[in-house]
Amino acid sequence: MVDEETYKASTYAPVNIAVIKYWGKRDTKLNLPTNSSLSVTLSQDDLRTHTTASCSSTVEKDSLTLNGKDQDVSGARTQACLRELRRLRKDVEEKDGSAPKLSELKLKIVSENNFPTAAGLASSAAGFAALVRAIADLYQLPATPTELSRIARQGSGSACRSLFGGYVAWQQGDKEDGSDSLAYEVAPASHWPEMRAVILVASAEKKDVSSTAGMQQTVATSALFKHRAENVVPGRMKAMEAAIHDRDFAAFAQLTTRDSNNFHACCADTDPPIFYMNDTSRAAVRMCEAINAAAGNVVCAYTFDAGPNAVVYYLAEHEKEVAGTFKALLGEKTGWEGKRGGAVEAVKKLPEGMEVAA
Ligand code: ADP
Ligand code: DP6
Ligand code: CO
């Protein structure tokens, strides 16, 4: 008999905001993408998910609550994560006959997002990264962040990148079983520690079209998307890795804004068209252009995920021109909340002496 109090683990996971976007699946079951992508992991001091996983013989069914509300765990994607983690726990139990049979117990998962859910601020990324990490810790799995990224990817594609800090790529891979569709660290946060992000919340409302549904519709109907996946993204991935390697902000910024615009153009080319950006989002684009023009230099780069909220990257030395301008002009305006992301950094401060992920 297993003591229910004994088996419990908690973890924090940060969001990551892509600068080369993932949009499109080549395999919906395994959640394999049509193109590689690259993101920056934001400080978990700001936007983060906190998840606790526990198990005991008194828990009757697997459950997940998110911000106090019961969620459906029967979906194929959550089930895939649970199945894979239990299988790895079984390996541990088979190797060590004295290890408690946690793989046979039901799981209780309790999660909190401290930022808007399903609003284009990567809640599914932080959410599934935290879920996988918390259960892996509960099960004391000897799994590497790379192995966990393969599992988190099956919960939500973008989640695989939140297992690492700093600058992270998700290679699309070409194997049918998805075993090479993994995230890896392009550079640690310490490589370019001056990077900052300001997050402008244009709307905290749940989006009309989820990322999963939106990208499926794009794959099915957009010719522009096909061009993006085949001809645009591969070159940009290489150029973005080089820009990060060289700490070339102008190149980083141009690739980031162009890729965001290309992704939203593919959304507009979808039938029926999908509009994630709104008038406020477009005002943020114009403001970034004005800030760059006034500086006579590229000092900020905007990007929008599948939602209206802007993430603006800049370097610490341009704090005043960028974050200062946004705060001064928009801080008071209804519908805007200025929030400055701290330095982009590696996953750290995991509670209860857990191992760091990067
Ligand atoms: P977002 O732009 O916020 O990533 P998505 O449409 O990709 O929006 O995904 C939102 C969904 O992700 C939510 O409806 C929920 O199912 C899931 N999700 C968000 N946060 C969590 C969490 N902390 N734990 C588990 N699942 C989560
Ligand atoms: C625009 O990872 O949320 O944020 O795999 O269906 O859960 P699912 O989709 P999700 O899509 C993210 C799309 C994006 C770009 C990105 O994060 O790369
Ligand atoms: Co998402």
Side-chain angles (χ1 to χ4, degrees), residues 124 156 158 211:
S124 65
S156 175
S158 54
S211 296

PDB file of all heavy atoms in Angstrom, residues 124 156 158 211, ligand 3:
ATOM      1  N   SER A 124      -0.250  26.757 -23.381  1.00  0.00           N
ATOM      2  CA  SER A 124      -0.140  25.305 -23.608  1.00  0.00           C
ATOM      3  C   SER A 124       1.322  24.870 -23.517  1.00  0.00           C
ATOM      4  O   SER A 124       1.609  23.733 -23.141  1.00  0.00           O
ATOM      5  CB  SER A 124      -0.752  24.907 -24.960  1.00  0.00           C
ATOM      6  OG  SER A 124      -0.023  25.463 -26.034  1.00  0.00           O
ATOM      7  N   SER A 156       1.475  19.414 -26.292  1.00  0.00           N
ATOM      8  CA  SER A 156       1.342  20.607 -27.135  1.00  0.00           C
ATOM      9  C   SER A 156       2.706  20.822 -27.763  1.00  0.00           C
ATOM     10  O   SER A 156       3.722  20.781 -27.057  1.00  0.00           O
ATOM     11  CB  SER A 156       0.948  21.815 -26.282  1.00  0.00           C
ATOM     12  OG  SER A 156       0.942  22.989 -27.078  1.00  0.00           O
ATOM     13  N   SER A 158       4.490  23.324 -28.896  1.00  0.00           N
ATOM     14  CA  SER A 158       5.369  24.378 -28.373  1.00  0.00           C
ATOM     15  C   SER A 158       5.912  24.038 -26.981  1.00  0.00           C
ATOM     16  O   SER A 158       6.916  24.602 -26.552  1.00  0.00           O
ATOM     17  CB  SER A 158       4.618  25.711 -28.329  1.00  0.00           C
ATOM     18  OG  SER A 158       3.411  25.569 -27.603  1.00  0.00           O
ATOM     19  N   SER A 211      -4.997  27.156 -31.170  1.00  0.00           N
ATOM     20  CA  SER A 211      -3.833  26.953 -32.049  1.00  0.00           C
ATOM     21  C   SER A 211      -3.987  25.650 -32.832  1.00  0.00           C
ATOM     22  O   SER A 211      -3.733  25.603 -34.037  1.00  0.00           O
ATOM     23  CB  SER A 211      -2.552  26.897 -31.228  1.00  0.00           C
ATOM     24  OG  SER A 211      -2.332  28.123 -30.594  1.00  0.00           O
TER      25      SER A 211
HETATM   26 CO    CO B   3      -0.378  27.036 -27.380  1.00  0.00          CO
END
